Amino acid sequence: MAFLSSRRRRTRLAPELDDQELGRLLKSLRATTRTGTIATTDLCAAQITRLLDQDPGDWDRRTHRIDVLADFLTASHLPRSWAAREPRSADALVLHAWTMVADARAQGRPEDASEATDLCLRAAEIAPDDPTPWVTLLAVARLQRWAQPQAFGVWNEVLARDRWNREAYLGMLGYLSPEEGGSRIQVLEFVDTLCARMPANAPCAGIELTAQVLQYHSVLGRGGFEALVARNHWSHAMAAQALDRVAHTWPQPGFLRHAKALADLNLLAYALMAADRRRDAAPVFEVLGGIVTSWPWHLGGEALAEYDQAQRRATVGL
C-alpha cells in the first residue's frame, strides 16, 4: 500500500482509497454511464470485468472494488442491465445484488432487497470459490434481520473462502449490535473471540476499534449529560487498550497491506482525536496523505471539514 505524504496531496474524499486503477475506472464510469445505451452497458461491463479479473484469488481487493462500485452505481441502470444481458456472469450478478442492498438500506426498505438473495445464490453456484456472493448475502441477512442460525451459516460460508474478510466481520459486528437486534454482550464476545485468533495486520484488524467507535457514538447519541462526557469512553480500560494496541503499529510503512487500510487509518485518526491523543494522531494524519473516508468523520458534520479541523488540532504545537 502506497501511503502518501499529507504535504503532497490536498484533502479529498476518495472511496477508492489508494487503488489507482479503481479510481481511473470510477472516473471513466462517471463519464460514460450517463447515456444509458446498450453500447454503454457493454463498454462499462467490459471495463469492470477487466478490473475484477485482475489478481485472481485476492478476495480482499475484489471485495473492496465491488463495494465501491456498488455504492457508486446504486442509482444507475447499469448493474441491472448487465445482469440481464449476462446472467451467467458472477461479476454482474454480485454487483447487481450489492447495489440492490445498498439502495434498500439507503431507502430504509429491506423488502426491496429480496431479489438479491436469488442473485447471490446464482453467483455462488457460478463461482463457488468466490466469497463475494456470500458477503453480499450476509448484507441481505443483516438488512432483513434473518435469524442467527441463518446469518451465521452465511458468515461461515464467507470464512470458508476468505478467513479474514473485512466486510464479513463488519457485517456481523453490525448484525450483533443492539441497534440491529443483538446485544452489547454479543458484540463483546464476538470481538474478543476474533482478537484472540486473528493476525495483527489482518484485513479485519479494525473490528475491535470499530466496535469502540460505535459504542462511543451510541453514548453521544443519548444526548444531554452523557453526550457531554462521552470523551470519558476512551479512558475506560477496553477502549484505551484497543487504541494502545494499534496506535503505533498501524501507521508503520508496510504494516497494513489490505485494500481498505487507509479506511482503517481514518478510523484510527478519528478515535485518537476523540480520545484527545493528538501526539499519537499526528503521524497517522501524515501517512493518510489527505485521503478521507466519509465514515466516521461525517458523524460530526461535513466529513472533509471535520477531518481538516482534526488534522490541524493534531499538529498544533508539534
Side-chain angles (χ1 to χ4, degrees):
M1 181 180 60
F3 289 133
L4 305 169
S5 169
S6 59
R7 296 189 178 94
R8 301 204 312 266
R9 297 295 297 272
R10 64 183 179 84
T11 302
R12 63 192 179 94
L13 285 171
E16 74 275 13
L17 303 175
D18 63 344
D19 190 329
Q20 296 180 9
E21 292 181 74
L22 176 58
R24 285 193 288 270
L25 175 58
L26 293 178
K27 184 177 180 179
S28 176
L29 292 175
R30 195 173 287 114
T32 58
T33 54
R34 299 190 183 104
T35 63
T37 65
I38 292 175
T40 298
T41 297
D42 290 343
L43 173 62
C44 293
Q47 291 177 315
I48 294 171
T49 298
R50 279 196 297 271
L51 182 69
L52 296 180
D53 282 348
Q54 294 177 7
D55 305 314
D58 186 348
W59 304 124
D60 174 62
R61 180 68 54 181
R62 175 176 170 81
T63 304
H64 165 59
R65 287 172 167 173
I66 293 177
D67 177 33
V68 173
L69 287 166
D71 185 64
F72 179 80
L73 294 168
T74 297
S76 169
H77 75 285
L78 175 61
R80 180 176 292 277
S81 297
W82 183 19
R85 289 173 62 78
E86 297 189 42
R88 293 294 299 170
S89 166
D91 290 344
L93 297 177
V94 168
L95 183 63
H96 182 28
W98 205 313
T99 57
M100 291 182 69
V101 172
D103 186 58
R105 183 183 295 121
Q107 300 298 325
R109 296 197 300 264
E111 66 279 1
D112 290 355
S114 298
E115 182 186 345
T117 298
D118 178 61
L119 293 168
C120 292
L121 294 176
R122 285 163 54 196
E125 182 179 0
I126 295 166
D129 294 333
D130 187 350
T132 54
W134 298 102
V135 173
T136 314
L137 189 57
L138 182 60
V140 176
R142 180 182 171 189
L143 184 66
Q144 298 187 333
R145 304 287 177 90
W146 289 11
Q148 289 200 9
Q150 286 72 39
F152 273 97
V154 174
W155 184 63
N156 286 329
E157 294 288 348
V158 180
L159 268 55
R161 294 161 175 81
D162 186 15
R163 182 68 183 85
W164 307 113
N165 186 284
R166 181 181 187 273
E167 195 67 31
Y169 280 94
L170 285 173
M172 285 306 299
L173 183 68
Y175 175 83
L176 294 172
S177 69
E179 291 76 15
E180 296 190 20
S183 68
R184 179 66 179 158
I185 295 299
Q186 286 182 302
V187 167
L188 292 175
E189 291 176 348
F190 178 72
V191 171
D192 286 346
T193 300
L194 171 62
C195 291
R197 299 175 180 175
M198 74 172 178
N201 62 346
C204 56
I207 295 299
E208 181 183 21
L209 190 56
T210 299
Q212 290 298 332
V213 168
L214 291 173
Q215 177 63 14
Y216 169 64
H217 290 157
S218 176
V219 176
L220 283 174
R222 297 169 193 163
F225 178 75
E226 287 190 84
L228 291 175
V229 297
R231 181 177 294 178
N232 293 340
H233 170 79
W234 298 103
S235 63
H236 298 160
M238 290 181 63
Q241 289 167 10
L243 277 175
D244 290 341
R245 274 190 279 271
V246 300
H248 302 295
T249 54
W250 282 10
Q252 292 176 11
F255 185 81
L256 294 180
R257 297 178 178 273
H258 58 282
K260 288 188 182 289
L262 288 174
D264 287 339
L265 286 167
N266 268 268
L267 177 71
L268 175 59
Y270 174 89
L272 287 169
M273 292 305 295
D276 201 24
R277 294 174 57 164
R278 293 184 296 166
R279 187 172 296 277
D280 289 334
V284 183
F285 282 111
E286 184 66 24
V287 297
L288 279 170
I291 294 180
V292 183
T293 54
S294 179
W295 192 87
W297 299 105
H298 80 277
L299 294 162
E302 197 276 324
L304 288 177
E306 291 293 315
Y307 178 97
D308 285 337
Q309 182 182 43
Q311 185 178 34
R312 287 194 296 271
R313 287 174 49 221
T315 55
V316 168
L318 297 181

